Amino acid sequence: MDKRLFFSATRKNRDCIGDVLSGIIRKKGSILEIGSGSGEHGVFFQKRFSGIVWQASDPNLVYRKSISSWIDYEKLNKIMPQPLYIDVEKIPWKIPSQLAYSLQGVVSINMIHVAEWTCTIALFREAGKLLKEGQFLMLYGPFKIGNNYTSKSNYYFDNSLKMQNDLWGMRNVEEVSNEAQKNGFVQEDLISMPSNNFSIIYRKFSY
Ligand SMILES: C[S@@+](CC[C@H](N)C(=O)[O-])C[C@H]1O[C@@H](n2cnc3c(N)ncnc32)[C@H](O)[C@@H]1O
């Protein structure tokens, strides 16, 4: 049965996120996506970067079913694996050894503001253990910079998030990057994206 979900933002942001990824993804290897949601990004990027393996994940079963349905619908079964259950806070993340071996980066799109701050901490801690020197972690979403909103609409959006859950909310880039640094990442790039969003590229460095 078709269990595909459709998240409207994915159609608007997938090309520009893909353009950022095209600058950092190498030709081969695997990418682990955390908080994949509907799976629309996953199948889109699997098709755009056909030499790599896009490993989607989500803690939500309904979303994992949607991801599987999207994989079927796009006839990607032979190259794209089924989604993993990963809740960033349930550590260690259970990932196949082949994925760990071939991993070149971790991507998380629109996740950390719809999760508690402890999820950001867990994301960097676990990704920091998985990734090796030179590999990347990319975040995409709305952020505050210097504790300021970058637009009025982001201010309203943040308030709406906090009304749904007072532990959710738009994160401050400096605090996120501080967490990154604690786990061996350096902020390599902060890229302004359409609709007042940002992509942040973190790169694992050696101590
Ligand atoms: C706003 S949705 C974004 C989904 C998708 N990345 C997108 O951009 O369309 C947030 C996603 O974060 C996931 N998420 C929330 N808490 C999480 C956690 N603790 N660990 C991993 N993912 C989580 C949700 O299940 C959901 O798929």
Side-chain angles (χ1 to χ4, degrees), residues 7 10 35-37 41 58-59 63 86-88 109-111 114-115 119:
F7 290 180
T10 58
S36 303
H41 281 137
D58 207 279
Y63 292 171
I86 295 181
D87 175 330
V88 285
I109 301 168
N110 283 327
M111 191 281 278
V114 288
C119 292

Side-chain angles (χ1 to χ4, degrees), residues 86-155:
I86 295 181
D87 175 330
V88 285
E89 292 199 281
K90 303 253 163 62
I91 56 170
W93 298 346
K94 290 199 177 71
I95 66 167
S97 52
Q98 176 59 25
L99 172 65
Y101 174 73
S102 60
L103 198 61
Q104 53 160 300
V106 172
V107 172
S108 194
I109 301 168
N110 283 327
M111 191 281 278
I112 66 170
H113 60 282
V114 288
E116 300 174 14
W117 173 247
T118 48
C119 292
T120 303
I121 295 174
L123 173 66
F124 282 109
R125 198 169 287 164
E126 279 303 286
K129 286 187 215 153
L130 272 179
L131 295 171
K132 300 179 191 71
E133 187 184 349
Q135 296 179 334
F136 71 86
L137 190 164
M138 175 187 159
L139 299 180
Y140 168 91
F143 291 90
K144 292 196 275 183
I145 296 188
N147 241 345
N148 295 310
Y149 293 103
T150 60
S151 69
K152 214 164 200 167
S153 60
N154 274 6
Y155 166 78

Side-chain angles (χ1 to χ4, degrees), residues 12-24 41 45 48-49 54 106-113 124 136-145 150 154 171-174 176-177 186-203:
K12 295 185 207 137
N13 60 28
R14 62 190 189 181
D15 285 307
C16 60
I17 297 173
D19 290 344
V20 172
L21 285 170
S22 70
I24 51 174
H41 281 137
F45 297 140
R48 179 160 172 178
F49 305 106
W54 193 273
V106 172
V107 172
S108 194
I109 301 168
N110 283 327
M111 191 281 278
I112 66 170
H113 60 282
F124 282 109
F136 71 86
L137 190 164
M138 175 187 159
L139 299 180
Y140 168 91
F143 291 90
K144 292 196 275 183
I145 296 188
T150 60
N154 274 6
R171 309 299 173 198
N172 196 33
V173 166
E174 290 81 359
V176 175
S177 295
V186 64
Q187 183 187 310
E188 181 176 273
D189 218 345
L190 175 67
I191 303 159
S192 186
M193 306 288 285
S195 309
N196 305 303
N197 288 300
F198 289 91
S199 290
I200 317 182
I201 315 293
Y202 294 102
R203 190 73 67 176

